[in-house]
Structures are given as C-alpha cells and as structure tokens.
Amino acid sequence: MILLTGATGTAGSFIANEFVRHRVPVRILVRDRAKAAALEKVPTVELVEGDMSKRGSLGPALEGVDRLLMISGPRMDMVETQRTFIDAAKAAGVRHVIKFSGLDARPETTFAFGLMHKEIEEYLESSGLAWTHLRPTGFMQEYLREAPSIIHEGALYFALGDVKLNPVDLVDVAKVGFLLLRDGGHEGARLPMTGPEALTMTEVADRIARANGSTVRYVAVPPIARRQALIAHGIPPEFADALDRQVEERLKGGLESQVDLSTHRLFNIRPTTFLEFAQRNAEAFGGTAAAA
C-alpha cells in the first residue's frame, strides 16, 4: 500500500492528480474529508481521515503501508508535525518515507522553512527508515498570487532587484513525486528540482505579458514595502519575517539562481519553461484563451 499526504494542499493536490490521471490506486490522508470531496468519487482513491500531528489518529491511514510521501503545510510547527508523523510511520511498519522538502534545506540558510526542512531531513535519516528527499525550488504557481496587481495595474511587485530565480512548475514536480511514490527506489537520494531557466523578475513579467497579450512591468519595491503588503493581506508577522530572510538570501544569488535539471533527466521529464506555464495559466493572469 502507498500513502500520500497533503493532497488538499498546493503541491500535494498536483501529485494526487497524477494518481487520478494514471488510475493508480493510492490511499490519501486528509484532516478534513469535506475538503477532498472531489476525490471521494475516484474509484482508485481511498480517503482516510487523520492528523499528521496527532499520532493516535494515524492508525487506519498507516495500516499496511510500505511507502509514503510526506507533505505538510508551511506552518511554524512543521518540524514537530513531521517528526510525529515519522515516529508513527516507523511504529506502523512503513519501510520507505519520501520527504517533500525544499532546495534550501541546508544548514547555512537563515530561511526558517529551509532550516525546518533540514532538521526534518536529519531526523528522518536517523530514524532507521529508508528515505528520499525531493527538493524543489520555488514554484511557478506562486506567481499566480500576483494576478490581482497584474490584471488591475499591469505590474508585478517584488523586492528582488535584478536577481535571477529558477522557479519550477509543480506539474513537473508532481510527475516525479508520483513516480517515486508509485515505483519506489532512489533510497538515500536527495533530488533537487529547478526550472530550466534562471530569470529576473523583468523577464518573468515579460513572459506573463507575452502569454496574456498585455503589458506587464516589473516594479522593484523595498523589502519593507513588500513586508507591509503581506501583513496587510493577513500574513502573520512571523511568516513575514521568514519571507524577509528568504528575500535577503535570494538577493545574494546561490542555489535559487542556478539551473539543475538532473532530476528531470533522471525521470525523463521534459522541463516546463516559464512561458509555457504562463500560457497555460493565461486566463488566470488576465488574458484570454485566444491570447494563450
């Protein structure tokens, strides 16, 4: 039996869709069955309710599971949640845990979630379970959050200067996650995933404009202005603090400014360009199907 977690979240939903598309049986752990109502109708999906942070709720989900893919939301209690889940998986006899991690899971980072991913990776490695770390960079889908300013102002606001970033399409990441979970193997591997290009925000804006048939300009803003905008939109201050550190690191270049397609090649997956992503989502960015 194979188990997928996080299927109602951003990344996990893409992986769940791969299982549905390929009609491969999978058990999916959800905290709220109502949020996964669409999956209830899929004959190859078994939904089981439980909470990754509550070990006592996980028995039915983990029963008979040999391999699982572990994803939980970007919350400040992520380390505690995933460590609890790893302990429960080991006690239930799970053999192989695939951790959905991040490209910045490294000890020298100051980005809070990168440090959390690294701590969880180390805990998993010391658990005695077989492990694989899937480490994607930032997602192209994150730019969809900027659609309101793109549509209403023709502008993309970021505090990123002229740094280049390497966003990856979650469609590509989901294909790898699906294959890892379905087929296993790659135990003890750390699998980085980036997009095929490192782009400045000016180049990102240009590709969105080409996709939706309008003018989109990049407006570089001070980090404090970006922080204030995030908090004004309901982002908790501690989360905004973490994103501030991420911006500081991105402005220095590093892993998120480099292209690494080794995992795409390993799984024979053609990498999606940002223009292709923008064309696929042209309507969300304010364009029309005809423009795309």
Side-chain angles (χ1 to χ4, degrees):
M1 175 62 70
I2 55 180
L3 175 70
L4 172 64
T5 65
T8 60
T10 302
S13 64
F14 277 81
I15 300 172
N17 286 341
E18 285 295 301
F19 275 93
V20 172
R21 187 166 69 88
H22 289 281
R23 300 178 182 177
V24 172
V26 64
R27 180 182 293 165
I28 293 179
L29 172 67
V30 293
R31 278 190 301 176
D32 183 353
R33 203 178 193 96
K35 291 183 178 180
L39 293 172
E40 290 270 19
K41 304 173 184 177
V42 181
T44 52
V45 170
E46 176 192 357
L47 288 183
V48 179
E49 282 188 292
D51 188 327
M52 292 177 67
S53 66
K54 297 177 180 177
R55 185 167 172 174
S57 73
L58 296 171
L62 293 170
E63 184 179 358
V65 170
D66 176 65
R67 183 167 55 253
L68 64 83
L69 197 149
M70 178 175 66
I71 312 175
S72 65
R75 296 168 41 144
M76 303 311 290
D77 63 352
M78 183 169 67
V79 172
E80 181 181 359
T81 294
Q82 294 198 12
R83 286 178 59 159
T84 297
F85 188 69
I86 291 166
D87 291 344
K90 183 175 181 178
V94 173
R95 190 186 63 82
H96 183 189
V97 173
I98 301 155
K99 169 162 171 54
F100 196 97
S101 189
L103 192 66
D104 48 15
R106 49 197 173 88
E108 63 271 22
T109 187
T110 61
F111 178 43
F113 289 99
L115 289 171
M116 290 182 201
H117 280 309
K118 183 60 179 173
E119 184 176 347
I120 296 163
E121 286 186 358
E122 291 173 349
Y123 189 81
L124 175 57
E125 290 171 22
S126 67
S127 70
L129 296 168
W131 55 268
T132 306
H133 303 323
L134 179 57
R135 290 177 164 178
T137 188
F139 309 139
M140 293 181 184
Q141 280 72 12
E142 292 172 8
Y143 292 86
L144 292 170
R145 300 173 187 165
E146 311 305 317
S149 68
I150 291 170
I151 294 169
H152 299 297
E153 302 174 50
L156 185 66
Y157 296 98
F158 280 112
L160 290 168
D162 59 358
V163 71
K164 289 179 178 284
L165 295 179
N166 57 8
V168 66
D169 190 351
L170 267 174
V171 170
D172 295 0
V173 179
K175 290 175 181 177
V176 173
F178 165 72
L179 292 172
L180 279 172
L181 192 50
R182 185 192 67 179
D183 301 338
H186 306 283
E187 296 172 4
R190 300 174 178 87
L191 301 172
M193 288 195 76
T194 78
E197 310 160 286
L199 302 171
T200 65
M201 293 303 101
T202 297
E203 291 170 327
V204 167
D206 172 71
R207 282 153 176 75
I208 294 172
R210 287 161 61 185
N212 69 6
S214 66
T215 299
V216 181
R217 71 192 191 283
Y218 166 52
V219 180
V221 298
I224 187 63
R226 180 71 177 174
R227 175 188 173 81
Q228 290 169 344
L230 290 172
I231 292 175
H233 283 83
I235 300 296
E238 63 271 19
F239 203 98
D241 288 341
L243 295 178
D244 283 348
R245 290 300 184 96
Q246 184 183 47
V247 166
E248 290 175 10
E249 290 196 358
R250 284 176 167 176
L251 287 170
K252 297 175 184 176
L255 289 179
E256 286 194 272
S257 296
Q258 302 168 21
V259 171
D260 186 343
L261 298 180
S262 57
T263 300
H264 282 82
R265 290 192 292 268
L266 181 63
F267 289 89
N268 195 30
I269 292 169
R270 188 183 71 81
T272 305
T273 68
F274 197 93
L275 179 58
E276 290 170 332
F277 162 78
Q279 289 171 332
R280 195 176 74 234
N281 293 279
E283 291 184 72
F285 283 122
T288 64

